[in-house]
């Protein structure tokens, strides 16, 4: 028997309790027969000011992620999707591998991470030199730079927005993001990448590709794309960037 609505695939999604963007993003990019089922990581202290604040936030995620995975497993998903990205970049390329193994070990399922999704997308576009925008503090940006450098990309510039709390990431406006993208595009770059799943970037990235003439990879779109394609689902999604529309 298959699920009445998720008759093609059911995705178990893990996201911080403070995140208000990734769930509606995934639903908006939905395709028939695929459903996403969220389990929330309880963030008790959402202060993200300074490097110490961001480190504390990541510690909470590490403490809670096992329980969040176990809860979502009760709906019997077919595949796991990470609705958070900072932890997938932490520790560089090996850190992402350890994280994937952790989720595999807990759930017995394959998993889409933002870090790996961005890597796949950049290789698909043939990019070598990139610009990145994040909501992170400097320690987060350093881990993002480390990840991309270790997998063979040159990071021209990172614009870290230094959001003071986890919830405030979702308050960043489209105008602020457009300003950041234009500044990044002034470098000699082949593509732009946005990290941070609570940063509302999918629609802005779709628009920006047209006026910048560059691939703009929004992390929620890339992660959703990876999840669909890993499961043999080739449906195209409009309004979420060239990755989901053309690939």
């Amino acid at each position: 028997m298959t699920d009445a609505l998720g008759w093609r695939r059911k995705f178990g999604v893990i996201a911080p309790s403070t995140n208000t963007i990734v769930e509606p993003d995934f639903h908006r990019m939905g395709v028939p027969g695929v459903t996403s089922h969220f389990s929330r990581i309880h963030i008790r202290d959402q202060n993200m000011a300074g490097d110490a604040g961001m480190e504390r936030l990541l510690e909470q995620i590490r403490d809670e992620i096992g329980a969040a995975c176990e809860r979502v497993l009760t709906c019997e998903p077919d595949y796991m999707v990470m609705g958070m990205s900072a932890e997938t970049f932490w520790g560089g390329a090996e850190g992402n591998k350890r994280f994937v193994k952790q989720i595999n070990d807990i759930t017995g399922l394959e998993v889409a991470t933002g870090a790996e999704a961005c890597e796949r997308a950049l290789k698909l576009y043939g990019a070598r030199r990139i610009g990145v925008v994040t909501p992170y503090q400097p320690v987060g940006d350093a881990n993002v730079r480390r990840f991309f450098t270790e997998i063979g990309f040159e990071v021209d510039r990172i614009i870290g927005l230094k959001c003071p709390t986890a919830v405030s990431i979702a308050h960043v406006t489209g105008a602020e993001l457009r300003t950041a993208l234009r500044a990044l595009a002034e470098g000699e770059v082949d593509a732009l990448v946005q990290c941070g799943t609570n940063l509302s970037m999918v629609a802005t990235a779709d628009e920006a590709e047209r006026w910048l003439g560059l691939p703009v990879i929004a992390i929620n779109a890339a992660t959703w794309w990876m999840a669909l394609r890993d499961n043999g689902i080739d449906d195209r999604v409009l309004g979420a960037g060239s990755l989901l529309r053309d690939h």
Side-chain angles (χ1 to χ4, degrees), residues 45-58 60 137:
D45 176 9
Q46 63 155 306
N47 176 22
M48 210 174 78
D51 287 349
M54 187 160 190
E55 291 278 13
R56 284 194 301 272
L57 189 72
L58 270 292
Q60 293 176 78
Q137 302 295 334

Side-chain angles (χ1 to χ4, degrees), residues 96-145:
N96 182 63
K97 289 178 182 176
R98 287 192 299 270
F99 180 79
V100 169
K101 184 179 185 302
Q102 177 189 8
I103 303 303
N104 291 157
D105 289 347
I106 294 170
T107 66
L109 300 172
E110 296 302 308
V111 56
T113 72
E116 185 175 351
C118 288
E119 177 184 5
R120 291 189 190 185
L122 288 169
K123 288 179 176 176
L124 178 68
Y125 286 118
R128 301 304 305 165
R129 185 176 173 89
I130 63 174
V132 185
V133 60
T134 84
Y136 303 149
Q137 302 295 334
V139 66
D141 292 343
N143 278 276
V144 169
R145 182 180 292 274

Side-chain angles (χ1 to χ4, degrees), residues 157-245:
R157 182 183 177 189
I158 295 181
I159 295 178
L161 300 175
K162 300 181 180 63
C163 294
T165 69
V167 167
S168 71
I169 297 170
H171 302 167
V172 175
T173 66
E176 291 173 283
L177 292 172
R178 288 190 292 273
T179 297
L181 291 175
R182 288 191 177 99
L184 291 171
E186 290 176 357
E188 294 182 7
V189 294
D190 306 310
L192 304 181
V193 177
Q194 168 259 323
C195 303
T197 62
N198 203 26
L199 201 58
S200 183
M201 186 69 165
V202 171
T204 301
D206 180 58
E207 297 167 4
E209 289 188 319
R210 288 186 279 275
W211 38 262
L212 292 177
L214 291 168
V216 181
I217 299 167
I219 200 156
N220 288 349
T223 307
W224 189 248
W225 168 79
M226 177 179 171
L228 292 176
R229 303 303 183 251
D230 269 5
N231 286 275
I233 296 165
D234 295 327
D235 299 47
R236 292 337 194 215
V237 178
L238 301 180
S242 60
L243 193 61
L244 276 161
R245 184 184 67 241

